[in-house]
Amino acid sequence: MTTIEVDSTLSAQATVRLKSVGLQPQVICGDGALGHESGGPYDRVIATCSVRSVPPAWIRQTKPGGVILAPWESPWFCYGLLRLTLDRYGDASGFFSPHAAFMLMRGQRTDLRIFRDVVRDDHVPVESGTRLSPWAVTGDDWAAQFAVGLQLGNVWRTWHDNPDVKGVASRLWLATTDASSWAAVDWGGQKSDRFTVWEHGPRRLWKSVEAAYGWWRTTGRPGPERFGLTVHPDGSHVPWLDTPDHAVPDLS
C-alpha cells in the first residue's frame, strides 16, 4: 500500500502514526495528482481530496479492472463520490454516489475574486430578465445543483447579499473559470417571480444556466446517483445519465 501527502511535515507524522498502529504503508511526500508510478500498477486508487477532473496519472497507474474512488466537485457545486473502473482499453467509467464533499485538490483550485479578477469598471453588461429563481439552482435542491454543475464544467458562482445597489437585496454572481464572461442575477427583496439579469463577455452565462436547469427538469429531475462519468485515454471527460450512451449536454 502506498499513500501520498504533499506536506512534508504531515507525511512524516503519518509515517509515525501509521507505524504506531501496526501499519507499514509506503508514505510518499509529493503531489498526489502525479501518483507514484514505481509502486504501480494499483488495484485501487483512493483520493481523500475532491477533484474536478481525474488526473491522467491515476488512470495510467491503475490495473485493468482496478477502481478509482474520488470525491467530485464542479466549480458550481462540491458534491458527489465518483467510482471508476478501468477497462482493458484504457477507459475508466462509473457512477456517482451522493453525500461526499472534501477540500479540493490544490492544483485544481480557482483563485478568482469577482471584483479583483472578473468585473471591470469599463464593462457594459447586457440587461435582461428571468423567471428562473437563482435559488432554484443554488439552494437546497442538491440534485439540481449537481446536474447544473456537470453541464457547466467551467462556471462558478457566489452570492452577494446587500450589495449596496439601489433596489437590490441579493445578487448572484456567475463567472467562467477563465474570467472571460460573467453574469449577475438580482433580487429586489419583494417579488420572487422575476429577476434582473446582467451579462458580460462572449458567453451568456445565465442563459446557459437556464438551459442546464431546463434539461434536468425535462429528464425527470434525476439525482446524482443516476449520473456517471467516462474518462477516455486522451483525458476527455464525458458525463452521462443512466448509461454511457446518454451523454449529458456540454454547456461549458
Side-chain angles (χ1 to χ4, degrees):
M1 182 173 68
T2 301
T3 184
I4 304 173
E5 166 58 50
V6 70
D7 185 284
S8 59
T9 300
L10 293 179
S11 64
Q13 292 175 351
T15 300
V16 173
R17 291 173 181 173
L18 288 167
K19 287 183 177 180
S20 71
V21 294
L23 300 176
Q24 300 288 333
Q26 182 180 22
V27 180
I28 304 296
C29 180
D31 185 352
L34 301 178
H36 184 61
E37 188 168 4
S38 64
Y42 301 99
D43 296 304
R44 298 288 185 272
V45 174
I46 301 173
T48 54
C49 62
S50 292
V51 297
R52 292 177 177 174
S53 62
V54 179
W58 296 2
I59 305 293
R60 292 195 308 268
Q61 296 173 23
T62 301
K63 294 178 181 178
V67 172
I68 299 170
L69 191 67
W72 182 259
E73 174 178 329
S74 69
W76 191 266
F77 191 45
C78 178
Y79 185 78
L81 183 65
L82 178 62
R83 186 183 189 276
L84 301 174
T85 301
L86 194 72
D87 68 18
R88 60 177 178 169
Y89 303 107
D91 286 329
S93 191
F95 280 94
F96 293 95
S97 297
H99 309 302
F102 282 68
M103 62 181 179
L104 183 62
M105 177 180 285
R106 295 188 185 191
Q108 297 186 8
R109 296 175 186 176
T110 303
D111 183 22
L112 292 175
R113 298 291 183 271
I114 284 290
F115 298 112
R116 183 192 71 189
D117 306 308
V118 179
V119 178
R120 296 288 180 263
D121 291 338
D122 61 350
H123 287 176
V124 182
V126 175
E127 180 182 359
S128 63
T130 183
R131 294 190 180 279
L132 175 61
S133 167
W135 287 282
V137 292
T138 65
D140 294 333
D141 195 333
W142 289 10
Q145 291 197 68
F146 183 82
V148 169
L150 275 185
Q151 296 173 76
L152 297 170
N154 61 356
V155 179
W156 59 281
R157 47 87 171 180
T158 186
W159 274 100
H160 189 178
D161 292 323
N162 302 314
D164 196 25
V165 177
K166 184 178 180 180
V168 180
S170 291
R171 172 173 284 174
L172 174 66
W173 288 100
L174 328 172
T176 53
T177 53
D178 65 1
S180 64
S181 297
W182 61 263
V185 185
D186 290 344
W187 175 59
Q190 297 179 352
K191 293 184 177 180
S192 298
D193 60 349
R194 189 163 179 82
F195 306 86
T196 302
V197 180
W198 307 91
E199 295 175 295
H200 181 270
R203 293 175 57 187
R204 294 292 176 258
L205 295 185
W206 187 250
K207 294 298 183 185
S208 295
V209 170
E210 290 179 323
Y213 183 74
W215 175 86
W216 173 74
R217 290 188 63 185
T218 59
T219 53
R221 301 173 180 260
E225 70 283 351
R226 285 182 57 191
F227 289 95
L229 181 75
T230 297
V231 183
H232 295 297
D234 64 2
S236 60
H237 287 51
V238 181
W240 38 266
L241 177 65
D242 294 327
T243 60
D245 58 354
H246 188 190
V248 169
D250 183 0
L251 302 177
S252 59

